[in-house]
Amino acid sequence: MTNFVTKESLFELQSITNPVLAPNEQEALFIRTQMNEKENNYNAHLFHIELASGHLTQWTFGNERISSPAWSPNGKLVAFLVKRGEKQQLYLLNSRGGEAQELTTLPNGVNSFLWSPCGEKIWLTTSVKEGLAITDEEEKEDKKFPKAYVVDKMKYKADSLGLLPQNRHAQIAVVELSSKEVTAYTDAPYSHSLQGISHDGKTLVVAVNRVDNTDDVFRTPLYLVDVDTKEEIMLIEEDGYYGDAAFSFDDRYIAFGGSDQTFKNATHGHVYIYDTQSKNRQKLTEMFDVPVGDYAVGDTQQAASAPTVMWTENNDLYFQVSTEGDVRLYYATLEGAIYPASPENEHVYGYAIFKNGNRALMTVSNPTFPGELFDFDITTGERKQLTTFNAEFLANTTLSTPEAIVYPTKDGFTVHGWIMKPANYIAGEKYPLIVEVHGGPHTLYANTFFHEMQLLAAQGYGVLYVNPRGSHGYSQSFVDAVRGDYGGGDYEDIMAGLDYALANYDWIDEARLGLTGGSYGGFMTNWAVGHTTRFKAAVTQRSISNWISFNGVSDIGYYFTEWQMLADMNNVEKLWHHSPLKYAANVETPLLILHSERDFRCPIEQAEQLYITLKRMGKEVAFVRFPESDHNLSRTGIPSLRVERLAQITGWFIKYL
């Protein structure tokens, strides 16, 4: 007899991420992350696998989080970051056994690193206070006499970080393996980041913006830097976000990812190629009308990261593409031919390519499969599952299989989505339906495992989730169509999806409809209950209710509001028109408001305004605050509070549906 998904199933699920091939291509590393119920945190450990035999070995243990594993060029050592407490340091481990050795003890830890191809040193970035050497101990703050924080810029805080350290910049340094000596490479009062290194070790790709005030600067130029002379060649200096550079095996070409500012943060991601011989740069995917990269939302994978692009020894390339609910691996040539390399209906959230380009390691999930590591033959399509960490959960748990749906909009778009039957579905019975709305808005629901959806289905609800205009994974015109029109066509897309579901699935009880979503999905929940009475219960999470105040209180508010609403404080009429708070008097749906107290992205005052307004009007409303939590509570938050959040959601729907 199998069980249904519960809130506590979060502790059973194991996240398998970050596959990294060894130079010999006969072994690999990956990370397994679990929620630790006893310590109420996350443990991420390093695992090793022999590809031929499939033999697995756990390499790290303890109450810690491992990230960014990387083999030395000769494969004899492995470097990785270890986070214990607030700081993370760089560690080394012999690939043939032994204890991990701490390589750095920097006051502010290590942000990132890259192996030097010589294998005798490692490049890294660390945060340094102006006027101090990179290895100096910074003065300790006396908590008895806290200092005032003098704000002189608009970019002075960030979600998950809080108030940003002042007069501190990320600098590049190099550490010698033999002596553990750390030597500064940059020291100018600007933040630097490592984006790539050539195979001959002579050239770095460095990102640095040499302006004193970046409040209205949305670019980080990339430079090719000669390691010895520090001479620079500009790689790109356009507005937008660019980085994660990879040199071809012959060092002639440099591939990197990025998106310009044509449609602000709604712009598709692309792959760029720079030819070091001709000095020409091209946008390889310019004619490709879906975004390069993984834009899928979910709540199961932890700290999953993948290369933006990987080269083969024949100078072909591989990268991820978000397309119509899938995240697939794609293959491209320098001539611009682009083809899908992995199957449909799944989420490839990590990958490593063999040098010949015919084979890949991939971490893959789908709506009824939390994710594991696979060995994939790209030429034949055959794959071998290498790990089975979630096998017991799958064998003992009844899941609901989402059904893909497609429907037209009034103005010519096509919307994709999914509908799930209750996990205990019996033909002929009627069931309530809950509509979920994703955040962003420039993300997408995908063919990936989503614990929250499965939990709702296990509770006896149908679940509808769609990708309305504004979602990534579709055309540039589709993702841009939401800007300046929040609550317009996007709201109609969602309601059209509901109408489609009601017309095509007779098991839905139209009198018991629920609605929930977070961030942009929270905005849409607030908007919907102010514009329709069709929903009998709603839960809004980390939401926006008032664009006028959001403009000033969010860490991104002053520019995000302009980018997304196409209006600023000189046009408060438009901001107020698109603010759900304006329509509070229309709300008849019982509304539960969930919000994190340390959310700097959508600050809790957005929830406070909505709650007090509705409460004062005599509406059916409740408010739950989550301490020590930021905007990412539902995905990476404190485990006990993630469980409590799910309890609040399901409890509200049980009460009213």
Side-chain angles (χ1 to χ4, degrees):
M1 182 177 179
T2 60
N3 304 312
F4 291 108
V5 172
T6 66
K7 305 182 298 297
E8 292 74 21
S9 295
L10 283 172
F11 294 101
E12 299 177 61
L13 293 167
Q14 301 183 48
S15 173
I16 312 304
T17 63
N18 304 70
V20 185
L21 264 172
N24 62 18
E25 299 192 330
Q26 297 175 13
E27 52 190 324
L29 303 171
F30 63 91
I31 293 174
R32 182 195 69 179
T33 306
Q34 291 178 286
M35 282 173 35
N36 184 331
E37 188 169 9
K38 181 180 178 181
E39 299 294 334
N40 202 24
N41 62 6
Y42 299 81
N43 293 155
H45 293 133
L46 187 63
F47 278 73
H48 172 269
I49 184 168
E50 296 175 358
L51 297 179
S53 66
H55 180 69
L56 285 172
T57 307
Q58 184 172 343
W59 273 8
T60 64
F61 301 83
N63 186 26
E64 60 189 18
R65 295 197 75 163
I66 304 296
S67 64
S68 307
W71 296 88
S72 64
N74 62 11
K76 293 182 179 181
L77 296 171
V78 172
F80 51 89
L81 298 176
V82 178
K83 187 172 186 179
R84 298 189 180 109
E86 294 300 315
K87 303 292 189 297
Q88 64 180 9
Q89 301 290 352
L90 183 60
Y91 279 69
L92 278 182
L93 184 63
N94 191 303
S95 63
R96 293 299 171 253
E99 293 291 325
Q101 301 295 317
E102 188 175 45
L103 190 60
T104 63
T105 56
L106 293 169
N108 293 304
V110 175
N111 302 332
S112 64
F113 71 91
L114 290 172
W115 276 98
S116 171
C118 69
E120 297 175 355
K121 59 186 180 181
I122 295 176
W123 295 90
L124 59 84
T125 58
T126 184
S127 181
V128 180
K129 198 167 186 178
E130 281 185 40
L132 292 175
I134 204 162
T135 55
D136 282 346
E137 286 289 339
E138 297 189 30
E139 66 272 15
K140 296 180 179 179
E141 297 291 337
D142 189 344
K143 293 183 179 180
K144 293 182 180 179
F145 303 98
K147 295 179 180 179
Y149 187 99
V150 179
V151 178
D152 60 357
K153 294 180 175 65
M154 290 186 285
K155 289 181 183 174
Y156 70 92
K157 61 182 179 179
D159 188 61
S160 79
L161 297 176
L163 295 176
L164 299 177
Q166 295 178 306
N167 302 316
R168 188 179 292 175
H169 302 96
Q171 302 291 357
I172 296 173
V174 63
V175 56
E176 299 287 342
L177 270 60
S178 58
S179 65
K180 295 186 180 181
E181 181 180 355
V182 180
T183 305
Y185 186 76
T186 61
D187 58 7
Y190 309 103
S191 284
H192 302 71
S193 64
L194 285 165
Q195 299 295 328
I197 189 169
S198 60
H199 292 280
D200 62 12
K202 297 179 179 180
T203 307
L204 296 176
V205 179
V206 173
V208 57
N209 198 327
R210 296 186 177 102
V211 297
D212 293 328
N213 189 336
T214 61
D215 281 347
D216 291 304
V217 178
F218 299 97
R219 66 179 178 276
T220 304
L222 295 183
Y223 297 89
L224 299 180
V225 181
D226 184 289
V227 167
D228 294 326
T229 68
K230 296 189 179 181
E231 180 181 350
E232 297 178 349
I233 297 175
M234 178 64 68
L235 189 56
I236 192 166
E237 195 183 15
E238 299 175 1
D239 284 351
Y241 302 95
Y242 307 93
D244 199 10
F247 284 78
S248 59
F249 282 90
D250 59 9
D251 278 340
R252 175 175 175 178
Y253 300 101
I254 303 169
F256 60 96
S259 58
D260 60 36
Q261 284 274 292
T262 304
F263 303 96
K264 303 302 180 185
N265 62 324
T267 309
H268 275 169
H270 287 281
V271 171
Y272 293 77
I273 304 293
Y274 178 79
D275 186 337
T276 61
Q277 291 186 9
S278 68
K279 312 302 182 186
N280 291 326
R281 188 184 71 232
Q282 64 165 316
K283 187 188 294 185
L284 185 68
T285 54
E286 185 168 15
M287 306 307 294
F288 200 49
D289 199 17
V290 285
V292 171
D294 181 356
Y295 293 90
V297 295
D299 61 1
T300 301
Q301 306 310 333
Q302 291 295 320
S305 63
T308 297
V309 61
M310 289 194 75
W311 290 94
T312 73
E313 57 192 1
N314 298 318
N315 283 350
D316 296 327
L317 308 101
Y318 283 90
F319 45 85
Q320 294 163 299
V321 173
S322 296
T323 171
E324 296 190 351
D326 294 329
V327 179
R328 303 175 69 182
L329 194 61
Y330 268 67
Y331 160 87
T333 68
L334 287 174
E335 290 72 35
I338 303 175
Y339 306 100
S342 68
E344 296 179 311
N345 301 318
E346 63 185 24
H347 178 197
V348 177
Y349 59 90
Y351 72 98
I353 302 295
F354 287 71
K355 294 176 185 176
N356 64 13
N358 296 328
R359 188 176 166 199
L361 294 183
M362 303 192 306
T363 45
V364 182
S365 175
N366 66 45
T368 56
F369 186 75
E372 299 283 0
L373 179 65
F374 289 84
D375 190 336
F376 179 55
D377 188 319
I378 298 172
T379 58
T380 66
E382 297 179 1
R383 67 172 68 186
K384 177 184 179 183
Q385 185 171 335
L386 299 177
T387 63
T388 56
F389 289 98
N390 290 295
E392 184 176 353
F393 168 80
L394 291 171
N396 297 327
T397 309
T398 298
L399 299 175
S400 176
T401 302
E403 176 185 339
I405 62 173
V406 179
Y407 57 92
T409 67
K410 296 177 182 177
D411 51 357
F413 284 127
T414 298
V415 175
H416 292 78
W418 295 263
I419 190 166
M420 299 169 66
K421 291 179 178 177
N424 58 353
Y425 173 81
I426 299 174
E429 297 289 328
K430 289 280 190 178
Y431 297 92
L433 179 76
I434 295 173
V435 179
E436 286 258 10
V437 186
H438 67 61
H442 309 308
T443 56
L444 77 152
Y445 281 133
N447 281 305
T448 194
F449 190 86
F450 214 123
H451 169 263
E452 182 175 322
M453 308 293 193
Q454 292 290 347
L455 174 63
L456 292 174
Q459 294 271 326
Y461 304 105
V463 184
L464 173 69
Y465 54 108
V466 304
N467 285 327
R469 68 192 65 194
S471 303
H472 259 315
Y474 306 92
S475 70
Q476 182 65 80
S477 60
F478 186 86
V479 71
D480 185 54
V482 72
R483 293 200 307 136
D485 189 38
Y486 274 46
D490 51 349
Y491 169 67
E492 293 178 2
D493 291 350
I494 293 166
M495 298 306 289
L498 177 58
D499 290 337
Y500 177 91
L502 291 170
N504 289 276
Y505 299 93
D506 59 7
W507 52 264
I508 300 173
D509 184 349
E510 189 171 1
R512 291 188 292 161
L513 302 177
L515 175 66
T516 189
S519 197
Y520 164 80
F523 159 85
M524 185 54 68
T525 300
N526 297 341
W527 182 270
V529 297
H531 288 78
T532 181
T533 58
R534 295 178 68 179
F535 298 104
K536 300 309 174 188
V539 181
T540 184
Q541 307 169 56
R542 57 188 187 280
S543 70
I544 295 173
S545 66
N546 182 352
W547 285 106
I548 297 173
S549 64
F550 177 86
N551 178 80
V553 297
S554 168
D555 61 344
I556 62 173
Y558 74 93
Y559 61 87
F560 184 88
T561 304
E562 295 176 13
W563 291 358
Q564 291 294 306
M565 304 313 299
L566 306 184
D568 59 17
M569 291 299 288
N570 293 309
N571 189 357
V572 293
E573 292 81 8
K574 182 171 184 179
L575 297 183
W576 185 237
H577 172 75
H578 290 280
S579 296
L581 193 63
K582 177 181 178 180
Y583 310 96
N586 300 335
V587 175
E588 299 298 332
T589 304
L591 181 66
L592 173 62
I593 303 171
L594 305 181
H595 219 106
S596 295
E597 294 187 348
R598 291 187 179 179
D599 190 337
F600 278 34
R601 186 58 39 85
C602 296
I604 198 168
E605 64 88 31
Q606 294 285 302
E608 292 170 335
Q609 289 188 69
L610 184 61
Y611 171 72
I612 292 297
T613 299
L614 293 175
K615 195 72 172 177
R616 189 63 172 167
M617 289 179 173
K619 307 294 184 178
E620 188 69 26
V621 62
F623 183 22
V624 179
R625 305 167 66 108
F626 293 89
E628 309 297 322
S629 301
D630 59 26
H631 196 64
N632 294 302
L633 169 64
S634 65
R635 301 176 284 263
T636 61
I638 297 170
S640 62
L641 293 181
R642 288 184 65 184
V643 172
E644 174 62 22
R645 169 186 166 272
L646 293 170
Q648 292 290 340
I649 293 170
T650 54
W652 191 257
F653 286 132
I654 289 171
K655 181 178 180 180
Y656 289 100
L657 297 185

